Amino acid sequence: MYKRRGLDRAQFGSRTGYSASTIASFEQGRRIPPPRFIDRADEVLDAGGVLKAGKEEVAQAQYPAFFRDAARLESKAAALHVYATKAVPGLLQTEEYAQAVFSMWRPLLDEEVIAQRVAARLARQEIFSRKPMPTVSFVIEEYVLRRPLGGRGVMRGQWEQILLHGQRRNVEIQVMPIEREEHAGLEGPFTLIETLEGQRIAYVEAYKDSRLYTERESVREIVEQYGILRAQALTPRESMAFVEKLLGEK
């Protein structure tokens, strides 16, 4: 489309704030264009909002197919509650930690796919600066925080990021200690999503599959689990002290 405006790739990239190589990656499908690029491209090309209209559909394409519906709901959620048992939740991950996670994926992912997945994961974190601010909470198993995925240096950066997010007024992070004798979440991880309309939805992910639960009874059971988990876990203040202690360990 930019060629019809008499622009070459480098000129189009310059006007939108991206390099010619990045524009080529967008064109060839190696990278998914971010919303800010689409907005700027629409203006540069005088597309009259046509490009902006497809922005949400393009954004969803950066996620694995099984996660796209959940990502759409997450991006507009009024409240989000995450129970994590496998890795640090994606919304809290640093770029280095996310890179380590996707690099360990089996079967192995192509480098371009890894880069795309990392970028998509970081893009999700815009939820923290969205207005109106959503309420976001996490319960994370202690062993998730102790497992040094990517190495000790990567994990230190991840702990620091958790502490930073824990200072946000709309975010609460809790750690579930290994030593707890009672545990309400033995069935595995999940995410609870509350829409702006007040609907509650539960997202549960398993091996190569995922499911969104909207039935009232199923969602109620998971809401009950999460409430008990929060009561069993360390308080947010105790949890931040726990992460600070991890940072101080050698």
Side-chain angles (χ1 to χ4, degrees):
M1 184 179 288
Y2 59 82
K3 293 180 180 178
R4 296 178 183 176
R5 296 287 177 177
L7 302 173
D8 60 25
R9 184 177 289 159
Q11 292 171 326
F12 180 56
S14 177
R15 295 194 184 187
T16 55
Y18 291 82
S19 67
S21 61
T22 299
I23 298 298
S25 294
F26 292 158
E27 292 176 331
Q28 296 163 17
R30 297 197 306 270
R31 294 180 60 182
I32 302 297
R36 62 181 179 276
F37 167 78
I38 296 175
D39 288 340
R40 183 60 183 151
D42 194 285
E43 295 169 2
V44 169
L45 300 175
D46 194 23
V50 173
L51 297 180
K52 292 181 180 180
K55 186 165 57 175
E56 183 173 338
E57 183 177 345
V58 172
Q60 297 308 310
Q62 63 190 320
Y63 303 112
F66 68 83
F67 184 67
R68 287 173 188 168
D69 288 339
R72 175 178 52 80
L73 291 167
E74 177 187 87
S75 67
K76 300 178 180 180
L80 200 66
H81 307 291
V82 182
Y83 171 48
T85 67
K86 299 177 181 179
V88 172
L91 289 176
L92 297 176
Q93 290 181 9
T94 64
E95 181 175 355
E96 294 76 15
Y97 186 94
Q99 178 78 28
V101 169
F102 286 121
S103 295
M104 296 174 193
W105 207 281
R106 295 296 187 274
L108 290 171
L109 299 175
D110 292 339
E111 291 298 325
E112 291 177 353
V113 174
I114 292 174
Q116 180 178 311
R117 296 278 178 90
V118 170
R121 182 152 292 182
L122 298 180
R124 289 170 54 202
Q125 297 175 10
E126 293 179 2
I127 190 173
F128 293 118
S129 56
R130 202 190 71 204
K131 295 182 179 180
M133 291 190 299
T135 299
V136 188
S137 73
F138 303 88
V139 174
I140 308 172
E141 289 290 341
E142 176 183 340
Y143 58 79
V144 167
L145 298 177
R146 288 193 176 277
R147 181 181 296 127
L149 294 182
R152 182 78 178 179
V154 169
M155 205 63 212
R156 287 188 63 85
Q158 184 59 71
W159 293 330
E160 291 171 352
Q161 173 117 316
I162 288 172
L163 289 174
L164 288 173
H165 282 303
Q167 295 175 12
R168 295 179 180 272
R169 292 190 299 119
N170 62 323
V171 176
E172 290 192 335
I173 302 173
Q174 294 178 252
V175 176
M176 175 63 79
I178 295 173
E179 64 184 17
R180 287 292 191 258
E181 295 181 359
E182 296 183 349
H183 196 302
L186 298 180
E187 292 186 3
F190 56 78
T191 299
L192 288 167
I193 304 168
E194 185 171 336
T195 68
L196 292 171
E197 296 74 29
Q199 181 185 13
R200 284 180 168 178
I201 301 167
Y203 173 71
V204 180
E205 190 175 305
Y207 178 67
K208 291 189 177 181
D209 194 14
S210 64
R211 182 173 177 182
L212 287 167
Y213 291 88
T214 57
E215 303 88 350
R216 182 174 298 179
E217 183 60 25
S218 297
V219 175
R220 186 198 65 78
E221 291 176 358
I222 297 177
V223 168
E224 181 178 332
Q225 285 183 42
Y226 192 69
I228 298 173
L229 279 169
R230 295 194 71 178
Q232 293 170 336
L234 299 176
T235 67
R237 180 173 294 183
E238 291 169 341
S239 297
M240 293 302 95
F242 176 86
V243 177
E244 289 176 349
K245 183 179 178 181
L246 291 177
L247 270 169
E249 294 178 356
K250 295 182 180 179

